[in-house]
Amino acid sequence: MGVITLAMLGSLAVLAVAGAVVWGQQADRPDPSAVLRGPTAGHPLGTDRLGRDLLARLLAATWPSLLPAVAATLLGAAAGITLGALTAVVGGRAARLLGALINLLLAFPALLVAMFFAALFGAGAGGAVFALAVACAPGFARITQTLAAQVAGTDFMAAARVLGLRRHRLLLRHVLPHIAEPLMLNTAVAAGSALVALSGLSFLGLGVQPPSYDWGLMLSQGLDRIYTEPLPAVAPGIAIVYATVAFQLLGEMLAGAAVRQARPRPEEEPVAHAARADRPASTDHVLEVEDLRVVLPTADGVVRPVRGVTLTLRRGELVGLVGESGSGKSLAALAVADLLPDDARVTWTTHRFLGADAESLTREQRRRQLATGMALIFQNPASAFNPSLRLGRQMTEAVRAHRGTPRAEAVEQALAQLQRVGLPAGRRLLRSRPFQLSGGQRQRVAIAAASMMRPDLIIADEPTTALDVTVQRQIMDLLRRVRREDATAILFISHDIALVADACDRVLVMYGGTIVENLPARELAAGARHPYTRMLVASVPDLAADRDPPPLTIEGGPPDPCGTAPGCPFHDRCPHRLDRCAVDSPVLSPLRPEHEVACWRPLPAAPLGGARETEEVEK
Amino acid sequence: MSGGGGLTLYEVTVRHQGPFGPITAVDGVSLEVPRGTTVGLVGESGSGKSTLARAIVGLDPPCSGRIAVGGREYGGRREADRRRLGQQVQLVFQDPDTALDPRMTVRQSIAEAAGAFVRLDRRGREQRVGELLELVGLDAGCAGRLPRQLSGGQRQRVAVARAVAVGPAVLIADEVTSALDVSVRAALLAMLRDLQRRMGFAMLFISHDLAAVRQVADAVAVMYLGRIVEAASTESLLRGPRHPYTRTLLSAVPSLHAGRRPAEEPLLAGEVPDPASPPTGCRFHPRCPVGPARHAGRDVCAVRDPQRDAAGKPHRAACHFPYRADDRPPQARRVPPDDDGDRTPRTPGDLPS
Ligand code: SF4
Ligand code: SF4
């Protein structure tokens, strides 16, 4: 594709430059003895009224045909882009005026405008170029306006405006670089259309005037005798199409390059074959996952966000999965729910949901099992709902599809669920659409919808992060109620360690793609043994404690998600590291019942800070 | 009006054009942030705190009231007016990922801000960038990187460096820590305080994170539905909140230390009312746990606006029936959080030792 495009563009360029030099003389040499000939060996395309060789004329016309098209496009693009980009940097009223102007200009068909101005400027190549530039400018203005509006809405533009930067600087520095790619692409495509339009003008007698000539004029002259001699008309037509296609392909190529830049590289990784561990299935366990790993191809190389996660959820348990950004907590959960994109590679040694091994089920069975047994609640409840469908339909869809529940009964169930989440105006709510609710209401509806199927497991991924604290508390109380009444296990993913400590039974602390500690929630504040957990706890400010000393900061950054180095993921930030920490990866192993740590040197039970609490504990 | 170089807001009102008529997002807010001090502005979504921030920096001009920096007002919408204001007031945005131009290196970003009002030659610019990086605690090696090559905390430091590059008299920090991991928040807050000590700007620290506010602010103002309902010195407000809304807000903050959450602090009933048609009288009255909905004989709340009576007091609480100052704040008590009955009490006493 790229090769063809480049070959086509190259041939056009060569012809444009060399055409007039090589064939120019021949093209202008009249031969009264051979006027209006058909194709012969000497004149492969025939001759025109003055007996000039048509092939030579066609080739020599490359430059005069392409140059005006490119010039008109560039002129129009420059004018349109300036106009459109200005809307992003001028004040509100001026922007509205400019917008209205662009709309007005767009209301006229481009070709009509071009013809009007071509007539106005007077027939001739120069007039046609200007006319065409005027005609294509509004299109560019509109595209630029749309693209620039996206940039104008960003925080960095607001920041630049607050800095009081001058308009031309905003335009050149912040707006144009961000929209350059699509505009280039558009310009390439527009050049193709401009060529066609220019040929059209010439054809109508509004463009190039004899004795100058371009493909359009040749086409129109050839058309006079198309019934006797088709080739003199078809050949310039082919030339126009050829050049147009070349420009289109250039556009495609630019677009392709832009997309490729953004798209991750596919990975070359051998599949780690799962060695099946033969642990007996426990009926009490809703979910058992062992050595879960995720490998994802991204633009910056292959990342390994999840590197051996082992977790077990019992029926009715509310387990918090905490970690900072980049710890892999959300991806681990999505992998459990089989929701990762296709290019992600997920492996495990055990993945058992409701006692059934993932390998022992067919794809269809597994999908069904997940659909009926597992529900997800996301940070942004808007994403869980289809914005255009009524909530009632969306809430009842699953039970009706999977359980065959009749409609009326499903609606009754939905009403009961809504009642439970504290939304008593159920019937009205079922008729409304997602955007009519507040964030807190939507999240409550999401919980109600998730519990419609009475799932055995709910995975809640940061369900309260976008909400206010007072609403957050309502949501947490709701989740606790759901798990108590339905005995649903809940995996609650959060970055908020205080919230998790406050609301969950058990906490899994994730760091660098692994679970570093698994402990009862009530021990988190004072009884953590992994150095990372301890430091994380110490970094949480406490409203009730004294203002000094300020909370701790963990120096350094999280481990490189692409790295493959062995050793403890925390070793470069850990104040307690041993020599072996850099080479051997610690595994999650039990310290006491209910308490597991992945560390070669777990801290002693007495914490660094918060000595007061420990004393109380130990008394 | 004496701002003493700080920021003074007087009866500032900001209206938006909503889908069904105008919405008063900020309604008659008066606030003073003296030079060299920090005022925390707390409130939930829809309280108008971010709109207020945008009004102060001129992105959302107020429709009435006065905003003065060092006693001078900076109105006007022309480029020159904007530039005069920009020299005085700067804003740090919530999300460092989007607040920096992704295509500019740290050096370019900071140099652009540093050169916004003064002409700098190449050497001067390089030197200033170095100074600013040092001020915000980044090492000089960061200068050549692009935003996406930095961590969230580093990016936020670059954003701060950009904002203080012009030497503003007032810095507005809008939720600057909420996009950051907890392990780097404290350091950013400490850096901001340090910066303030060195440069002396007045800071309006907007956040929904009460713990962060407590760490940096000298005084706190709490907003609800476009109004300030309580304002006092930080300790006074957090230790002895007097407005019922402030108390509910405080009690909803989860605590790492088990057993601090009180059971009897009621949840807020209902939703935040539509700001297009706010409740009469006290705007909190339909949801107030001690208001007319729960206590007979408190009908005055629905009729009379408590704002006026509160003005001018050192601990102002816009409430007809405020809590007493010596009433202990909710989170300092130790109550088993057995609100749902589904959990054993988590008093420290029953931890296995
Ligand atoms: S294994 Fe070593 S480096 Fe890792 S947390 Fe434990 S002591 Fe620190
Ligand atoms: S004035 Fe009345 S309704 Fe308003 S906060 Fe005070 S007690 Fe509640």
Side-chain angles (χ1 to χ4, degrees), chain B residues 184-197:
Chain B
V184 298
R185 278 185 196 173
L188 188 90
L189 295 177
M191 184 273 284
L192 276 176
R193 272 208 87 98
D194 184 48
L195 210 55
Q196 183 179 46
R197 250 196 309 279

Side-chain angles (χ1 to χ4, degrees), chain A residues 8-39:
Chain A
M8 286 174 79
L9 284 171
S11 63
L12 282 174
V14 168
L15 278 179
V17 176
V21 182
V22 179
W23 293 286
Q25 296 220 305
Q26 195 191 346
D28 284 336
R29 192 185 316 127
D31 180 0
S33 65
V35 292
L36 292 176
R37 285 279 170 79

Side-chain angles (χ1 to χ4, degrees), chain A residues 521-527 610-619, chain B residues 255-261 333-337 344-353:
Chain A
R522 60 173 186 276
E523 288 181 25
L524 190 57
R612 194 167 44 91
E613 263 107 11
T614 340
E615 279 159 26
E616 281 177 31
V617 170
E618 277 160 6
K619 261 175 210 163
Chain B
S255 169
L256 186 56
H257 300 276
R260 289 248 175 86
R261 209 175 83 174
R333 273 175 298 194
R334 297 195 165 224
V335 189
T344 47
R346 293 197 319 208
T347 46
D350 55 20
L351 284 185
S353 48

Side-chain angles (χ1 to χ4, degrees), chain A residues 155-156 162-165 169 174 178 324-325 438 444 468 470 474 483-484 501-502 542 545 547 553, chain B residues 44-45 79 82-83 90 98-99 101 112 117 181 183 187 214 257 260-261 268 271 340 342-343 346:
Chain A
D155 283 352
F156 65 81
V162 172
L163 266 177
L165 295 184
R169 184 161 178 97
H174 292 286
H178 284 268
E324 298 186 282
S325 49
S438 74
R444 275 188 272 173
D468 291 318
T470 52
Q474 298 169 349
R483 75 90 184 256
R484 186 182 68 232
D502 193 62
D542 189 1
R547 184 145 135 178
T553 300
Chain B
E44 298 190 283
S45 46
E79 189 174 274
R82 229 182 43 203
R83 283 174 64 79
Q90 281 299 318
T98 58
D101 190 325
E112 179 184 68
F117 300 105
D181 277 324
S183 66
R214 178 155 177 271
H257 300 276
R260 289 248 175 86
R261 209 175 83 174
L268 271 192
E271 298 285 322
D340 258 4
D342 67 332
R343 208 164 44 158
R346 293 197 319 208

Side-chain angles (χ1 to χ4, degrees), chain B residues 50-215:
Chain B
S50 287
T51 308
L52 186 62
R54 291 175 65 89
I56 296 169
V57 297
L59 289 172
D60 254 351
C63 68
S64 73
R66 284 202 299 272
I67 299 176
V69 178
R72 270 192 64 189
E73 282 183 56
Y74 295 85
R77 313 190 59 161
R78 287 177 308 125
E79 189 174 274
D81 300 326
R82 229 182 43 203
R83 283 174 64 79
R84 265 207 308 277
L85 180 68
Q87 231 166 342
Q88 296 295 325
V89 184
Q90 281 299 318
L91 174 67
V92 183
F93 289 79
Q94 168 172 4
D95 190 352
D97 298 4
T98 58
L100 297 175
D101 190 325
R103 296 187 185 227
M104 287 167 82
T105 62
V106 170
R107 178 182 292 113
Q108 288 169 332
S109 268
I110 296 180
E112 179 184 68
F117 300 105
V118 276
R119 284 223 157 277
L120 288 172
D121 60 1
R122 192 176 249 295
R123 275 238 334 272
R125 201 161 53 215
E126 197 54 36
Q127 194 185 346
R128 185 88 180 105
V129 170
E131 274 168 29
L132 286 162
L133 282 177
E134 200 246 282
L135 266 180
V136 298
L138 287 173
D139 60 66
C142 289
R145 305 224 198 124
L146 286 171
R148 69 180 155 82
Q149 295 166 320
L150 302 174
S151 72
Q154 288 173 321
R155 270 191 291 241
Q156 196 59 292
R157 282 167 193 257
V158 175
V160 171
R162 245 172 89 85
V164 298
V166 303
V170 174
L171 187 71
I172 318 261
D174 189 3
E175 301 274 10
V176 286
T177 55
S178 56
L180 302 183
D181 277 324
V182 57
S183 66
V184 298
R185 278 185 196 173
L188 188 90
L189 295 177
M191 184 273 284
L192 276 176
R193 272 208 87 98
D194 184 48
L195 210 55
Q196 183 179 46
R197 250 196 309 279
R198 293 214 227 169
M199 304 183 69
F201 49 75
M203 177 154 75
L204 186 64
F205 185 86
I206 301 174
S207 181
H208 67 272
D209 180 356
L210 287 155
V213 168
R214 178 155 177 271
Q215 216 189 320

Side-chain angles (χ1 to χ4, degrees), chain B residues 229 242-245 281-293 295 298 300-302 304-306 317-323:
Chain B
V229 295
R242 305 190 60 186
H243 195 281
Y245 175 67
C282 170
R283 293 195 164 180
F284 191 49
H285 86 256
R287 310 174 72 197
C288 180
V290 295
H295 286 255
R298 293 197 165 174
V300 58
C301 298
R304 206 155 59 97
D305 185 356
C319 175
H320 296 305
F321 306 97
Y323 287 87

Side-chain angles (χ1 to χ4, degrees), chain A residues 131-162:
Chain A
L132 212 63
V134 171
C136 72
F140 275 105
R142 165 47 55 82
I143 290 171
T144 314
Q145 185 192 13
T146 315
L147 291 170
Q150 288 162 11
V151 180
T154 59
D155 283 352
F156 65 81
M157 274 294 282
R161 245 179 265 140
V162 172

